[in-house]
């Protein structure tokens, strides 16, 4: 089994690249953002609780997302590997993920971290907000709050995986295809 984390700040292209990577490598895509938005659309209790955090640009509490990922791992026992997109986003989530994978005699193969300047992130998300209908994209203040959450809580997750020599930085600016090829090169070196 090959497990990959696609890492980076909001708007760095994790979702965009994940769609292409799962096609090429046949991995199971687990996006906590998509899972949370699906809960919101179905108006579940979890979704309603998550929405209040997401609308403010804040991270959803760890226990909620860890529970969602734990269920998703149990429901997908027979896959070739997982592509984690937008998870883990805190050190507690990283520790929980390692423990969950260890119980299944598995681990993370590599973390590919997309590097994009803050102004480019804001430009991309404001532009997406014009069409996405996502309430966390259509307000620049909320977008900047998400980037602050990233610096305060999420950036440290890369330091955690650096201790195990598992992090590779990838330039996240340029064409979508160029970035995709750079990601594939790193994956091909490891599988
Ligand atoms: P996510 O759904 O994970 O989304 P994201 O970080 O906003 O975007 P992503 O990096 O995937 O960017 P994308 O490819 O779409 O998170 C949303 C919220 O959910 C969080 O703020 C948080 O509240 C909550 N949440 C999710 N996971 C959580 C967790 N683990 N713990 C707690 N809370 C959690 O790209 C963005 C835009 O850029 C798109 O419009 C795209 O077309 C464009 N783009 C992509 N690549 C480009 C390129 N190379 N050049 C130009 N534009 C590009």
């Amino acid at each position: 089994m090959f497990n990959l984390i696609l890492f980076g700040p909001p708007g760095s292209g994790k979702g965009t690249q994940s769609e292409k990577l799962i096609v090429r490598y046949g991995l199971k895509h687990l996006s906590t953002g998509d899972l949370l938005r699906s809960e919101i659309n179905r108006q579940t209790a979890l979704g309603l609780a998550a929405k209040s955090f997401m609308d403010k640009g804040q991270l959803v509490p760890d226990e909620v997302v860890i529970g969602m990922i734990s269920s998703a791992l149990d429901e997908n026992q027979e896959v070739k590997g997982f592509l984690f997109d937008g998870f883990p986003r805190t050190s507690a989530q990283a520790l929980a993920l390692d423990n969950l994978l260890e119980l299944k005699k598995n681990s993370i193969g590599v973390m590919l971290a997309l590097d994009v300047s803050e102004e480019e992130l804001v430009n991309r998300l404001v532009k997406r907000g014009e069409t996405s209908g996502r309430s966390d994209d259509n307000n620049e203040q909320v977008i900047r709050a998400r980037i602050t959450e990233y610096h305060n809580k999420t950036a440290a997750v890369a330091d955690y995986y650096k201790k195990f020599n598992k992090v590779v930085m990838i330039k996240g600016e340029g064409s979508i295809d160029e970035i995709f090829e750079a990601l594939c090169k790193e994956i091909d070196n490891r599988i």
Side-chain angles (χ1 to χ4, degrees), residues 96-109:
L97 178 60
D98 271 3
N99 289 336
L100 288 169
L101 290 174
E102 204 177 305
L103 284 173
K104 297 178 191 305
K105 306 211 178 331
N106 250 297
S107 63
I108 292 297

Side-chain angles (χ1 to χ4, degrees), residues 9-16 32-33 36-37 54 58-60 65 85-87 89 93 120 124-125 128 134 136 146 172 174-176 179:
S12 56
K14 303 182 295 287
T16 304
T32 39
L36 290 166
R37 281 185 289 277
M54 292 168 77
Q58 294 170 355
L59 293 182
V60 173
V65 275
D85 161 7
F87 181 90
R89 256 176 158 101
Q93 292 179 20
E120 171 73 7
R124 287 183 189 179
L125 293 174
R128 184 170 69 184
R134 270 177 59 170
D136 58 346
R146 285 157 65 194
S175 78
I176 288 171
I179 299 163

